Amino acid sequence: MKQRQRRIKGGSRRRWSLLLLGTIVALTLALQGCGNKNEEGAASSSAASSPSAAASTAAASTAAASSQAASTASAEPERHVPEVINYGYIGLNDQNQTTGAEGWGFYKGIIQEELKKYGVKEVKLAGFPNGPDQTESLISGRLDFGSLGDTPAIIARAGGAKTRLITQPGTRTIGYLIAKKDGPKTLQDLKGKTIAIQKGSFMHRYIVGLLKDAGVTDYKLVHMLIPDAQAALANGSVDAMTNTGVNALTSLANGYPQLDISSDHPELLGTSATVVSEAFLEKFPDFPKVWNAAREKALADLKQHPDEYYEYIAGIQKTTVENVKKLSPIEDIKDTAFTDDGLALIEGTKNFLVEEKIAKKDFNIGDWVLKAE
């Protein structure tokens, strides 16, 4: 009996021990679960009960983004203006300088200083014997812009060159028709004769228009640069030639007879043109405004120093001041980019070149002209 009671008591103690152990384990797990829920609840409660904290966090993020955007906006925009640009002009000389307000501006550094404000560090000048050669360099991208006669500029545009006309620096280009010694004496004497010209130049347009008005036909035009034409005139290979500037005056002084001068035919006067490639304008869209302002500043300075200007040109062209005053008087330099008279002349030249099939196709001068705003 006692032994049985001892087994009962022993079994009871084991059951109580197991029960107590199970209770402890269950209580521990319950406490852990509550702890996890409390942590999650505390985090949620914290977010729910502190909207100002969340708002502050969002505001801080917005402020940071705004600050970054403002910083980006306030930074200097990306510039595409080339540091080195290339300008072409007509007239080869050992000083690599040109005439007019442009030439004076480069000579005095006025234009360079103005362009520096826009990131241009250097302007390279390149002289050409004639307009067609210059337009070829412009089309190929070796030049960014240049000043030349209106005829080659128009012919290039009519042929598809992507250029814009931004200035007419002059509207009184004068050409001469000069005969060989003991040769033709009148325009009518040129029938059946050979005339040296620079094909595609202002003088090409001048001679064709002149002889058409005079009713002269059956003549032959040959392309020659002026030095070659002068040699051909001297040896009798050609009967006449077109010429301009100091070279023309030199020929006349040496006894070659003048058959005509374009100043006697206002409708045949040439104008000069400054053209810019469209590719360059994409990089520097404000260039027409900048260029014309710089040019006008140079012209204003030139007019303050007329004697020095004439001496400067005489030095370039290896001639006298008197000849420069006769050929290129300061009053012929235009102080605005365009004039009504100049645009009328260039329109007439374009129409003539198209009619004579010297220019490939017609185009609207208004679509070519780019006036700075």
Side-chain angles (χ1 to χ4, degrees):
M1 184 71 177
K2 290 179 180 180
Q3 186 176 2
R4 184 179 176 212
Q5 289 176 343
R6 282 196 298 269
R7 284 200 300 267
I8 292 173
K9 288 180 181 181
S12 297
R13 282 196 296 269
R14 283 194 297 272
R15 284 195 296 272
W16 276 108
S17 297
L18 292 172
L19 180 61
L20 180 60
L21 179 60
T23 301
I24 291 171
V25 171
L27 181 58
T28 300
L29 293 174
L31 288 173
Q32 288 177 346
C34 290
N36 290 338
K37 289 181 180 179
N38 285 341
E39 288 175 3
E40 294 172 0
S44 300
S45 175
S46 174
S49 64
S50 302
S52 60
S56 296
T57 301
S61 298
T62 302
S66 298
S67 176
Q68 183 177 1
S71 176
T72 301
S74 64
E76 184 178 354
E78 183 179 356
R79 301 184 69 88
H80 298 287
V81 177
E83 292 186 352
V84 178
I85 62 177
N86 299 284
Y87 171 77
Y89 66 90
I90 302 302
L92 300 173
N93 61 84
D94 57 9
Q95 298 180 41
N96 193 29
Q97 294 286 353
T98 185
T99 60
E102 298 81 1
W104 183 257
F106 284 125
Y107 173 64
K108 286 294 186 178
I110 296 170
I111 291 177
Q112 293 92 323
E113 285 301 314
E114 291 300 306
L115 292 175
K116 279 182 181 178
K117 299 175 184 178
Y118 299 87
V120 177
K121 294 183 178 179
E122 182 183 2
V123 182
K124 292 184 176 180
L125 276 64
F128 292 84
N130 56 40
D133 286 351
Q134 184 180 314
T135 57
E136 182 182 346
S137 289
L138 189 67
I139 293 168
S140 68
R142 294 194 296 273
L143 292 180
D144 298 305
F145 69 116
S147 298
L148 67 165
D150 56 8
T151 295
I154 290 170
I155 291 173
R157 173 74 180 192
K162 296 183 181 301
T163 63
R164 298 297 297 273
L165 175 66
I166 64 169
T167 314
Q168 280 184 288
T171 58
R172 195 172 177 272
T173 303
I174 297 176
Y176 297 79
L177 177 59
I178 299 173
K180 68 180 181 180
K181 295 176 181 179
D182 300 321
K185 300 295 189 290
T186 68
L187 294 181
Q188 300 302 322
D189 293 336
L190 291 174
K191 183 175 181 179
K193 297 297 191 291
T194 300
I195 306 168
I197 66 163
Q198 293 187 66
K199 187 177 181 180
S201 70
F202 149 69
M203 289 179 285
H204 186 182
R205 185 258 170 155
Y206 161 54
I207 193 64
V208 171
L210 177 69
L211 296 182
K212 181 179 181 181
D213 291 344
V216 178
T217 59
D218 192 30
Y219 56 86
K220 180 181 180 181
L221 299 180
V222 293
H223 171 68
M224 289 186 180
L225 297 181
I226 286 177
D228 296 331
Q230 287 176 314
L233 196 67
N235 64 32
S237 300
V238 299
D239 299 290
M241 67 172 290
T242 54
N243 210 336
T244 188
V246 173
N247 284 317
L249 295 186
T250 300
S251 291
L252 296 177
N254 289 333
Y256 291 89
Q258 174 182 304
L259 296 182
D260 191 76
I261 183 171
S262 66
S263 55
D264 289 341
H265 317 274
E267 74 282 2
L268 295 179
L269 286 173
T271 74
S272 53
T274 299
V275 293
V276 182
S277 73
E278 292 183 357
F280 180 64
L281 285 173
E282 289 179 2
K283 303 173 186 175
F284 196 169
D286 291 334
F287 180 74
K289 181 177 180 179
V290 173
W291 171 254
N292 286 319
R295 181 185 172 276
E296 289 170 17
K297 187 174 181 179
L299 179 57
D301 185 80
L302 182 160
K303 290 179 176 179
Q304 297 296 316
H305 307 89
D307 293 339
E308 186 181 352
Y309 171 74
Y310 284 127
E311 290 175 0
Y312 159 70
I313 301 302
I316 291 174
Q317 298 181 341
K318 301 292 189 295
T319 189
T320 65
V321 168
E322 288 70 27
N323 278 345
V324 174
K325 288 181 178 181
K326 179 179 179 179
L327 294 167
S328 308
I330 292 173
E331 52 266 28
D332 280 358
I333 304 174
K334 297 300 180 183
D335 56 5
T336 58
F338 297 102
T339 63
D340 291 340
D341 290 345
L343 290 174
L345 277 172
I346 207 168
E347 179 75 35
T349 297
K350 184 266 299 182
N351 292 340
F352 175 84
L353 295 173
V354 171
E355 180 183 345
E356 293 297 317
K357 296 182 172 50
I358 298 173
K360 285 186 177 180
K361 63 179 181 180
D362 198 1
F363 64 93
N364 189 331
I365 288 290
D367 294 337
W368 187 35
V369 171
L370 180 58
K371 295 183 178 181
E373 297 179 358

